[in-house]
Amino acid sequence: MSRPSKQRAKAQRREARKRADRTRRQLADHCAQWIYDAEEAWAARDFPSARRLFERVLHLRPTHQFSNERMAELCFMEERQAEGLSYFDRLVQPPEWPVMDYRAAVACLLTSRFDLGAVLAARFLARTRSEPDTDRLLANARLIQADCRRLAKAAGRRTPETVLPAQSRKPAVSAKRHDDTRGRASESQKQTLSPKEGGPTSASPVAGAKPDPRSAETLNPPPAAPDLPPFPDLTLPDVGVEFTFDRAGFPEAWTEEHTSSAADVGLRLRYAELRLQKGFDELLSLGAIRNVEHFGYQLDTVRRVLRDFRGRVLLADEVGLGKTIEACLALKEYWVRGLVRKALILTPASLVGQWVDELTERFGLAPVAADAHLVRRDDEFWAREALVVASLPLARQTAHRERLARIDYDLVIVDEAHALKNRNSAGWQLVNNLKKRFLLLLSATPVGNNLAELYNLIQLLRPGLLQSEAQFRREYGQIETLAETGRRDRLRELLREVMVRNTRAHIDLKLPKRIAATQVVRPAPAEAGVLEALATVIRDRYSTATAADRWRLTTLQMQAGSGPAALRFGLRDQPDRPNHESFAAVAEALDRLGPTTSAKVDALLELAGRSPEKKIVFTRFRATLDELDAALSLAGHRVSVFHGGLSSAEKQAAIDAFEQDAEILLSTEVGGEGRNLQFCRTVVNYDLPWNPMTIEQRVGRVHRIGQTRDVYVFNLCLAGSVEERILSILHDKINMFELVAGEIEMILGQLGDELDFASLVMDAWSSSGSHEDEDATFERLSTRILDAMSAYRKTSDLDRALFSEDYEI
C-alpha cells in the first residue's frame, strides 16, 4: 500500500472513531435528559410518568444501570416481584442502593429463586453491616438468607456463594442519593414489604417485626421427587369432528340454505384477508394511531406509496410537510395488514430517540433502538428483533453490515437519505446490499450539489430506470441542461415513477407571518452574582466531566437561565456529587436572595398586562411552572396549567379551560402536542430551549395550517446568559423565526449528521475564559452556521431548478 493510501486509511479510521464517540455522546445526552425528567417526576410522586421515561431510556440502552435499578424498585413497590427481578437481573454492577439487594432477596424468596436470594441477602449483610439504624433489616436479612439456603438445599440445589447473574463481582461502595433518598427509602420499603390492605401476608418480612421462619416454606413447599413409573403408550382411535351452528342469533326465516360449512367460512375469511391486502384505497391503520394530525395530501401520498409505487419510493416533500408522518403511516399500514413483520429504520444518530418515541407513543408499535454496546455483545440482536431503529453510522460499520446483509427485511426506511448520495460510501453500499422487499427513502433535498447524487438514490430504488451513469451524465449531467424544457420534462417524468414530492404551491399551503421579538432582562446585582458564581463552577468542571455529567452541568446552566426556582431545584442533587462544596456555596448564595420574584418574572407580568390576547407561556422546568402559576394568579390573571404529569382527561380539561376562559396557558415542552391551538397566536418563550427544533415545535403549536392571523413570538432571556448568545445566532444572524418550518433542521444538518446544537453551544461557552474570548468563540460558531445556511440555499436553488413550483405527485 502506498504512503498516501495509508494516510487516507488512517484518517478514515480516525474519523470513524470520532463519529462513534459523537454517537455515544448523543445517546448519553438523550438518556441523561430523560433520567433527569424521570427523577423530577419521581420526586413529585408521578410514578407512571417516571416509568414511561425510564422505559424510554431502556429502549435505547437496555443495560442502563440506573434505569434498570429504578424500574426494579418500582416493580417491587407494586409487589410485582417477578417483573422486578427481570430488571434486577440486567444490572451489570451491584445496585447503588444496598436496600435494593434486600428487596430483591425478598422477591427471590417469594418467587422460589432461593439460590439468588441467599446470595443477595449475604451481599446486603456485607454492605450494610456498619450502617447505623439497620439492626432490624439485618435481622430480617439473616432470616431470609437462612430460609433461602434451607429451601434451596431441600430442592436439591447448591447455593452459589460468589456468582451473581449478569452482575459484576466487584463490590460497590454504598453511595447516598439526593437529599430525600433516605426518607423515600423507608417509605418505599414499607410499600414493598408490608402486607396489602385487606389481609396479612405471612411471607413478606417487615422491618420491625420478626418474620416467621416457616412462612416461606408454607408458601413455597419443597417439591417432592418420588420415583414415578414411565407413562404408558396409548393408541387412540380416530375421532370424527362435526361442526354445527347455533341458530339462536339468526333470523327465523333462515334455513339450511342460508348457512355454509366451516370450510366455506374459512375460505371466505381468507378471501377477505387477501382483498384487504390487495386494495389500499381504504387505510386500515388510521384508527390505531393517536395524537397524529395528518392531512389529506399525506393520506393520498401513503395510498400511492402502497398501491402505485409498491412500497419502493423516494419521499421528497418540501421541508415541514411531514415526510416522517407519511413513512410511519406506511409502516403502520403494512404492519396492520401483515405485509411487514420485520423492518429496519436507519436515521442520523441524533434522531434515533425521536423515531423510537414517535413509533411507540403515536403509532402503537414496539421498536428497539440499536445500542452500540448492546449489538457488540449480542450477536443475535439484528436477526431477533422485529422492528429496529438504528443510526446509519452504527449500521454501516463493517461487522454489522455483514450481519444485516444476511437478514430478509420486509421494509427498510432511510431518513435523511441524502447521506447516501455517494455510491462509494459505506452507507450506500449497506442499503444496496440489504435484502428488502419495500424501501422508503426520505429526503427534502434529494438533488444535493449535482444530479449524480440523485441518480445514486434512484439506483437503490429502481436500478436501470435512469439508464447507465454515463448515459445519465451525458443527458442530464449539467445543471444548464435543465433550462431546456423538453429535457427537464423527460427527467421529471422518469422521476415520477419512483418519487413523491409535495410542495407548498401544490397543496396551497399559505401560512401567516411570524413576528419575533427578544426582551433582554437585566438581573438584580445579587441574582447576577449567583449566576456568575455558578458559571465559574460549571466551567471548571465541564471539560473533564463524563458525558452524563456534562449533560447534568448543561441542564444546571439551563435552569439558571430559567430562574431561581428551577436553579434551586437543580442544585438539590449536587451535594451527593464529588467536589460539591462549590455548589453548596452557590446554593447558600441563592437562598440569601429570599423569596423575592426574579427580574424575568417581573418582565413576564409586564408583558402579560399589555394585552388581553390569549398567550401560551412555555417553560422547560416544573419548578418554574409552579413559580409562574403563583405569580400570575396573584396578579389577577386567569391561568390554565398543562404538563406531562396530568392525566389525559386533565390535559384536555386544561386545553378546554384555556380556549374558553383562561387568558394564559402555562405549559412545559409537552404542551399541546398534537392539539389544535390556532385560536391563540401569541407564544412566550419564558426560558429558551437550546435545541432550535424544540423552539420550532413550540411555535408550531399555533403557527400551522388553520392559523389565519399573524403569530407573535416573544423571547425572554437574562442579559449575559447563554440564552442571549443563542438568540443572537438564531434570531439576529439567520432569522430563524421567519424561516419555513423545518428549514432550521436542514441548515443545521449541513454541519454533520452527529450534530447536537446544545452540546455545540455548551462547548463554545465553557471553553471561553473571558468575555472577549466568549465573543470571539460565538462569532466563529455564527460563521459556521451562516456557511451551513449558504450551503443549504445552494442546494435549494438546484432543487428548484429541477422541480420548480409546479411539480406534483
Coordinates of all heavy atoms in Angstrom, one line a residue, residues 141-209:
A141 N -32.7 -9.9 57.1 CA -31.9 -10.4 56.0 C -31.3 -11.8 56.4 O -31.2 -12.7 55.5 CB -30.8 -9.4 55.6
R142 N -30.9 -11.9 57.7 CA -30.3 -13.2 58.1 C -31.3 -14.3 58.0 O -31.0 -15.4 57.6 CB -29.7 -13.0 59.5 CG -28.5 -12.1 59.6 CD -27.9 -12.2 61.0 NE -26.9 -11.1 61.2 CZ -27.1 -9.9 61.7 NH1 -28.3 -9.7 62.3 NH2 -26.1 -9.1 61.8
L143 N -32.6 -14.0 58.4 CA -33.6 -15.0 58.3 C -33.9 -15.4 56.9 O -34.1 -16.5 56.6 CB -34.9 -14.5 59.0 CG -34.8 -14.3 60.6 CD1 -36.0 -13.6 61.1 CD2 -34.6 -15.7 61.2
I144 N -33.9 -14.4 56.0 CA -34.2 -14.6 54.6 C -33.1 -15.5 54.0 O -33.3 -16.5 53.3 CB -34.3 -13.3 53.8 CG1 -35.6 -12.6 54.2 CG2 -34.3 -13.6 52.3 CD1 -35.7 -11.2 53.7
Q145 N -31.8 -15.2 54.4 CA -30.7 -15.9 53.9 C -30.8 -17.4 54.4 O -30.6 -18.3 53.6 CB -29.4 -15.3 54.4 CG -28.1 -16.0 53.9 CD -26.9 -15.4 54.5 OE1 -26.9 -14.9 55.6 NE2 -25.8 -15.5 53.8
A146 N -31.1 -17.6 55.6 CA -31.2 -18.9 56.2 C -32.3 -19.7 55.5 O -32.2 -20.9 55.1 CB -31.4 -18.9 57.7
D147 N -33.5 -19.1 55.3 CA -34.6 -19.7 54.6 C -34.3 -20.1 53.2 O -34.6 -21.2 52.7 CB -35.8 -18.8 54.6 CG -36.7 -18.9 55.9 OD1 -36.3 -19.8 56.7 OD2 -37.7 -18.2 56.0
C148 N -33.6 -19.2 52.5 CA -33.3 -19.5 51.1 C -32.3 -20.7 51.0 O -32.4 -21.5 50.1 CB -32.7 -18.2 50.4 SG -33.9 -17.0 50.0
R149 N -31.3 -20.7 51.9 CA -30.4 -21.8 51.8 C -31.0 -23.1 52.2 O -30.8 -24.1 51.5 CB -29.2 -21.5 52.8 CG -28.3 -20.4 52.3 CD -27.2 -20.2 53.4 NE -26.2 -19.3 52.8 CZ -25.2 -18.7 53.6 NH1 -25.1 -19.0 54.9 NH2 -24.3 -17.9 53.0
R150 N -31.9 -23.1 53.2 CA -32.6 -24.3 53.6 C -33.5 -24.8 52.5 O -33.5 -26.0 52.1 CB -33.4 -24.1 54.8 CG -34.2 -25.3 55.3 CD -34.8 -25.0 56.7 NE -35.5 -23.8 56.7 CZ -36.8 -23.6 56.2 NH1 -37.4 -24.7 55.7 NH2 -37.4 -22.5 56.3
L151 N -34.3 -23.9 51.8 CA -35.2 -24.3 50.8 C -34.5 -24.7 49.5 O -34.9 -25.6 48.8 CB -36.2 -23.2 50.5 CG -37.1 -22.8 51.6 CD1 -37.9 -21.5 51.3 CD2 -38.1 -24.0 51.8
A152 N -33.3 -24.1 49.2 CA -32.5 -24.5 48.1 C -32.0 -25.9 48.3 O -32.0 -26.7 47.4 CB -31.4 -23.5 47.8
K153 N -31.5 -26.1 49.5 CA -31.0 -27.5 49.8 C -32.1 -28.5 49.7 O -31.8 -29.6 49.2 CB -30.3 -27.4 51.2 CG -29.6 -28.7 51.6 CD -28.9 -28.6 52.9 CE -28.2 -29.8 53.3 NZ -27.5 -29.7 54.6
A154 N -33.2 -28.2 50.2 CA -34.3 -29.1 50.2 C -34.8 -29.4 48.7 O -35.2 -30.5 48.4 CB -35.5 -28.6 51.0
A155 N -34.6 -28.5 47.9 CA -35.0 -28.7 46.5 C -33.9 -29.4 45.7 O -34.0 -29.5 44.5 CB -35.3 -27.3 45.8
G156 N -32.8 -29.7 46.3 CA -31.7 -30.4 45.7 C -30.8 -29.6 44.9 O -30.1 -30.0 43.9
R157 N -30.7 -28.3 45.3 CA -29.8 -27.4 44.6 C -28.7 -26.9 45.5 O -29.0 -26.8 46.7 CB -30.6 -26.1 44.0 CG -31.6 -26.5 43.0 CD -32.1 -25.3 42.3 NE -32.8 -24.4 43.2 CZ -34.2 -24.5 43.4 NH1 -34.9 -25.4 42.8 NH2 -34.7 -23.7 44.3
R158 N -27.6 -26.5 44.9 CA -26.5 -26.0 45.7 C -26.5 -24.5 45.7 O -26.7 -23.9 44.6 CB -25.2 -26.5 45.2 CG -24.0 -26.0 46.0 CD -22.7 -26.5 45.4 NE -21.5 -26.0 46.1 CZ -20.3 -26.1 45.7 NH1 -20.0 -26.8 44.6 NH2 -19.3 -25.6 46.3
T159 N -26.4 -23.8 46.8 CA -26.4 -22.3 46.8 C -25.0 -21.8 46.5 O -24.1 -22.0 47.1 CB -26.8 -21.8 48.2 OG1 -28.0 -22.4 48.6 CG2 -26.9 -20.3 48.3
P160 N -24.9 -21.0 45.3 CA -23.6 -20.5 45.0 C -23.3 -19.3 45.9 O -24.1 -18.6 46.4 CB -23.8 -19.9 43.6 CG -25.3 -19.7 43.5 CD -25.9 -20.7 44.4
E161 N -22.0 -19.2 46.2 CA -21.5 -18.2 47.2 C -21.0 -16.9 46.5 O -21.0 -15.9 47.1 CB -20.5 -18.8 48.1 CG -21.0 -20.0 48.9 CD -22.0 -19.5 49.9 OE1 -22.0 -18.4 50.3 OE2 -22.9 -20.4 50.3
T162 N -20.5 -17.0 45.3 CA -19.8 -15.9 44.8 C -20.3 -15.4 43.4 O -20.0 -14.3 43.0 CB -18.3 -16.2 44.5 OG1 -18.3 -17.4 43.7 CG2 -17.7 -16.6 45.8
V163 N -21.2 -16.1 42.7 CA -21.6 -15.7 41.4 C -22.9 -15.1 41.4 O -23.9 -15.6 42.0 CB -21.6 -17.0 40.5 CG1 -22.0 -16.5 39.1 CG2 -20.2 -17.6 40.4
L164 N -23.0 -13.9 40.8 CA -24.3 -13.2 40.6 C -24.6 -13.1 39.1 O -23.7 -12.7 38.4 CB -24.3 -11.8 41.2 CG -24.4 -11.8 42.8 CD1 -24.1 -10.4 43.2 CD2 -25.7 -12.3 43.2
P165 N -25.8 -13.5 38.7 CA -26.0 -13.4 37.2 C -26.0 -12.0 36.7 O -26.6 -11.1 37.3 CB -27.4 -14.1 37.1 CG -28.0 -13.9 38.5 CD -26.9 -14.0 39.4
A166 N -25.3 -11.8 35.6 CA -25.3 -10.5 34.9 C -24.8 -9.4 35.7 O -25.1 -8.2 35.4 CB -26.7 -10.2 34.3
Q167 N -24.1 -9.6 36.8 CA -23.6 -8.5 37.6 C -22.2 -8.7 37.9 O -21.6 -9.8 37.9 CB -24.4 -8.4 38.9 CG -25.9 -8.1 38.7 CD -26.6 -8.0 40.0 OE1 -26.0 -7.7 41.0 NE2 -27.9 -8.2 40.0
S168 N -21.5 -7.5 38.1 CA -20.1 -7.5 38.4 C -19.8 -8.1 39.7 O -20.6 -8.0 40.7 CB -19.6 -6.1 38.3 OG -18.3 -6.0 38.8
R169 N -18.6 -8.8 39.8 CA -18.3 -9.4 41.1 C -17.6 -8.4 42.0 O -17.4 -8.7 43.2 CB -17.3 -10.6 40.9 CG -18.0 -11.7 40.1 CD -17.0 -12.9 40.0 NE -17.6 -13.8 39.0 CZ -17.0 -15.0 38.8 NH1 -16.0 -15.4 39.5 NH2 -17.5 -15.9 37.9
K170 N -17.2 -7.2 41.5 CA -16.6 -6.2 42.3 C -17.6 -5.6 43.3 O -18.7 -5.2 42.9 CB -16.0 -5.1 41.5 CG -14.8 -5.6 40.6 CD -14.0 -4.5 40.1 CE -14.8 -3.5 39.3 NZ -14.0 -2.4 38.8
P171 N -17.3 -5.5 44.6 CA -18.2 -4.8 45.5 C -18.3 -3.4 45.2 O -17.4 -2.7 44.8 CB -17.5 -5.0 46.9 CG -16.1 -5.2 46.6 CD -16.0 -5.9 45.2
A172 N -19.5 -2.9 45.3 CA -19.8 -1.4 45.0 C -19.8 -0.7 46.4 O -20.3 -1.2 47.4 CB -21.1 -1.2 44.3
V173 N -19.3 0.5 46.3 CA -19.4 1.4 47.5 C -20.7 2.0 47.7 O -21.3 2.5 46.7 CB -18.3 2.5 47.4 CG1 -18.4 3.4 48.7 CG2 -16.9 1.9 47.3
S174 N -21.3 1.9 48.8 CA -22.6 2.4 49.1 C -22.6 3.9 49.0 O -21.7 4.6 49.6 CB -23.1 2.0 50.5 OG -24.4 2.7 50.7
A175 N -23.4 4.5 48.1 CA -23.5 6.0 47.9 C -24.8 6.5 48.2 O -25.8 5.8 47.8 CB -23.0 6.3 46.5
K176 N -25.0 7.6 48.8 CA -26.3 8.2 49.1 C -26.8 8.8 47.8 O -26.1 9.3 47.0 CB -26.1 9.3 50.2 CG -25.7 8.8 51.5 CD -25.7 9.9 52.5 CE -25.3 9.5 53.9 NZ -25.2 10.6 54.9
R177 N -28.1 8.8 47.7 CA -28.8 9.6 46.6 C -29.1 11.0 47.1 O -28.6 11.4 48.2 CB -30.0 8.8 46.2 CG -29.7 7.6 45.4 CD -30.9 6.9 44.9 NE -30.5 5.8 44.1 CZ -31.3 4.8 43.8 NH1 -32.5 4.9 44.1 NH2 -30.8 3.8 43.1
H178 N -29.9 11.7 46.4 CA -30.2 13.1 46.8 C -30.9 13.1 48.1 O -31.4 12.2 48.7 CB -30.9 13.8 45.6 CG -32.1 13.1 45.1 ND1 -33.3 13.0 45.8 CD2 -32.3 12.5 43.9 CE1 -34.1 12.3 45.1 NE2 -33.6 12.0 43.9
D179 N -31.1 14.4 48.5 CA -31.4 14.6 49.9 C -32.7 13.9 50.4 O -32.8 13.7 51.6 CB -31.5 16.1 50.2 CG -32.5 16.7 49.2 OD1 -33.1 16.0 48.4 OD2 -32.8 17.9 49.3
D180 N -33.6 13.5 49.5 CA -34.8 12.9 50.0 C -34.8 11.4 49.9 O -35.8 10.7 50.1 CB -36.0 13.4 49.3 CG -36.0 13.0 47.8 OD1 -34.9 12.7 47.3 OD2 -37.1 13.1 47.2
T181 N -33.6 10.8 49.6 CA -33.5 9.4 49.4 C -33.8 8.6 50.6 O -34.6 7.6 50.5 CB -32.0 9.0 48.9 OG1 -31.8 9.7 47.7 CG2 -31.9 7.5 48.7
R182 N -33.2 8.9 51.8 CA -33.4 8.1 52.9 C -34.9 8.1 53.4 O -35.4 7.0 53.7 CB -32.5 8.5 54.1 CG -32.5 7.6 55.2 CD -31.3 7.9 56.2 NE -30.0 7.7 55.5 CZ -29.5 6.5 55.4 NH1 -30.0 5.4 55.8 NH2 -28.3 6.4 54.8
G183 N -35.5 9.2 53.3 CA -36.9 9.3 53.6 C -37.8 8.4 52.7 O -38.6 7.7 53.0
R184 N -37.4 8.5 51.4 CA -38.1 7.7 50.4 C -37.8 6.2 50.6 O -38.6 5.4 50.3 CB -37.8 8.2 49.0 CG -38.7 7.5 47.9 CD -38.6 8.2 46.6 NE -37.3 8.0 46.0 CZ -36.4 9.0 45.8 NH1 -36.7 10.2 46.1 NH2 -35.2 8.7 45.2
A185 N -36.6 6.0 51.0 CA -36.2 4.6 51.2 C -37.1 3.9 52.2 O -37.6 2.8 52.0 CB -34.7 4.5 51.7
S186 N -37.2 4.5 53.4 CA -38.1 3.9 54.4 C -39.5 3.7 53.9 O -40.2 2.8 54.2 CB -38.0 4.7 55.7 OG -38.5 6.0 55.5
E187 N -40.0 4.8 53.2 CA -41.4 4.8 52.7 C -41.6 3.7 51.7 O -42.5 2.9 51.7 CB -41.7 6.2 52.2 CG -43.2 6.3 51.8 CD -43.5 7.7 51.3 OE1 -42.6 8.3 50.7 OE2 -44.6 8.1 51.4
S188 N -40.6 3.6 50.7 CA -40.7 2.6 49.7 C -40.6 1.2 50.3 O -41.2 0.3 49.8 CB -39.6 2.9 48.6 OG -39.8 4.1 48.1
Q189 N -39.7 1.1 51.3 CA -39.5 -0.2 51.9 C -40.8 -0.7 52.5 O -41.2 -1.8 52.4 CB -38.5 0.0 53.0 CG -38.2 -1.2 53.9 CD -37.3 -0.9 55.0 OE1 -36.4 -0.1 54.8 NE2 -37.5 -1.5 56.1
K190 N -41.6 0.2 53.2 CA -42.9 -0.2 53.7 C -43.8 -0.6 52.6 O -44.6 -1.6 52.8 CB -43.5 1.0 54.5 CG -42.7 1.3 55.8 CD -43.3 2.5 56.5 CE -42.4 3.0 57.7 NZ -42.9 4.2 58.3
Q191 N -43.8 0.2 51.5 CA -44.7 -0.2 50.4 C -44.4 -1.5 49.8 O -45.3 -2.3 49.4 CB -44.7 0.9 49.3 CG -45.2 2.2 49.7 CD -45.1 3.2 48.6 OE1 -45.3 2.8 47.4 NE2 -44.8 4.5 48.9
T192 N -43.1 -1.8 49.8 CA -42.7 -3.1 49.1 C -42.9 -4.3 50.0 O -43.3 -5.3 49.6 CB -41.2 -3.0 48.8 OG1 -41.0 -1.8 48.0 CG2 -40.7 -4.2 48.0
L193 N -42.6 -4.1 51.3 CA -42.5 -5.3 52.2 C -43.7 -5.5 53.1 O -43.9 -6.5 53.7 CB -41.3 -5.2 53.1 CG -40.0 -5.0 52.3 CD1 -38.8 -4.9 53.3 CD2 -39.7 -6.2 51.4
S194 N -44.6 -4.4 53.2 CA -45.7 -4.5 54.1 C -46.8 -5.3 53.4 O -46.9 -5.3 52.2 CB -46.2 -3.2 54.5 OG -46.6 -2.4 53.4
P195 N -47.8 -5.9 54.1 CA -48.9 -6.6 53.5 C -49.8 -5.7 52.8 O -49.9 -4.5 53.1 CB -49.6 -7.3 54.7 CG -48.6 -7.2 55.9 CD -47.7 -6.0 55.6
K196 N -50.5 -6.2 51.8 CA -51.5 -5.4 51.1 C -52.7 -5.2 52.1 O -52.9 -6.0 53.0 CB -52.0 -6.1 49.9 CG -51.0 -6.1 48.8 CD -51.6 -6.8 47.5 CE -50.7 -6.8 46.4 NZ -51.3 -7.4 45.2
E197 N -53.5 -4.2 51.8 CA -54.7 -3.9 52.6 C -55.6 -5.1 52.4 O -55.8 -5.6 51.4 CB -55.3 -2.6 52.2 CG -54.4 -1.4 52.6 CD -55.1 -0.1 52.2 OE1 -56.3 -0.2 51.8 OE2 -54.5 0.9 52.3
G198 N -56.3 -5.4 53.5 CA -57.3 -6.4 53.4 C -56.9 -7.8 54.0 O -57.7 -8.7 54.1
G199 N -55.6 -7.9 54.4 CA -55.2 -9.2 54.9 C -53.7 -9.3 55.0 O -53.0 -8.7 54.3
P200 N -53.2 -10.0 56.0 CA -51.8 -10.1 56.2 C -51.1 -11.0 55.2 O -51.8 -11.9 54.6 CB -51.6 -10.7 57.6 CG -52.9 -11.5 57.8 CD -54.0 -10.8 57.0
T201 N -49.8 -10.8 54.9 CA -49.1 -11.6 54.0 C -47.9 -12.2 54.8 O -47.0 -11.5 55.2 CB -48.5 -10.8 52.9 OG1 -49.6 -10.1 52.2 CG2 -47.8 -11.6 51.9
S202 N -48.0 -13.4 55.2 CA -47.1 -14.0 56.1 C -45.7 -14.1 55.6 O -44.8 -14.2 56.3 CB -47.6 -15.4 56.5 OG -47.7 -16.2 55.3
A203 N -45.5 -14.1 54.2 CA -44.2 -14.4 53.7 C -43.4 -13.1 53.5 O -42.3 -13.2 53.0 CB -44.3 -15.1 52.4
S204 N -44.0 -11.9 53.7 CA -43.2 -10.7 53.5 C -42.6 -10.2 54.7 O -43.3 -9.6 55.6 CB -44.2 -9.6 52.9 OG -44.7 -10.1 51.6
P205 N -41.3 -10.3 54.9 CA -40.7 -9.7 56.1 C -40.9 -8.2 56.2 O -40.7 -7.5 55.2 CB -39.2 -10.1 56.0 CG -39.2 -11.1 54.9 CD -40.4 -10.9 54.0
V206 N -41.2 -7.7 57.4 CA -41.4 -6.3 57.6 C -40.3 -5.8 58.6 O -40.2 -6.4 59.6 CB -42.8 -6.0 58.0 CG1 -43.0 -4.5 58.2 CG2 -43.8 -6.6 57.0
A207 N -39.7 -4.6 58.3 CA -38.8 -4.1 59.2 C -39.5 -3.8 60.5 O -40.5 -3.2 60.6 CB -38.2 -2.8 58.7
G208 N -38.9 -4.3 61.6 CA -39.5 -4.0 62.9 C -40.3 -5.2 63.4 O -40.8 -5.2 64.6
A209 N -40.6 -6.2 62.6 CA -41.3 -7.4 63.1 C -40.6 -8.6 62.7 O -40.2 -8.8 61.5 CB -42.7 -7.4 62.5

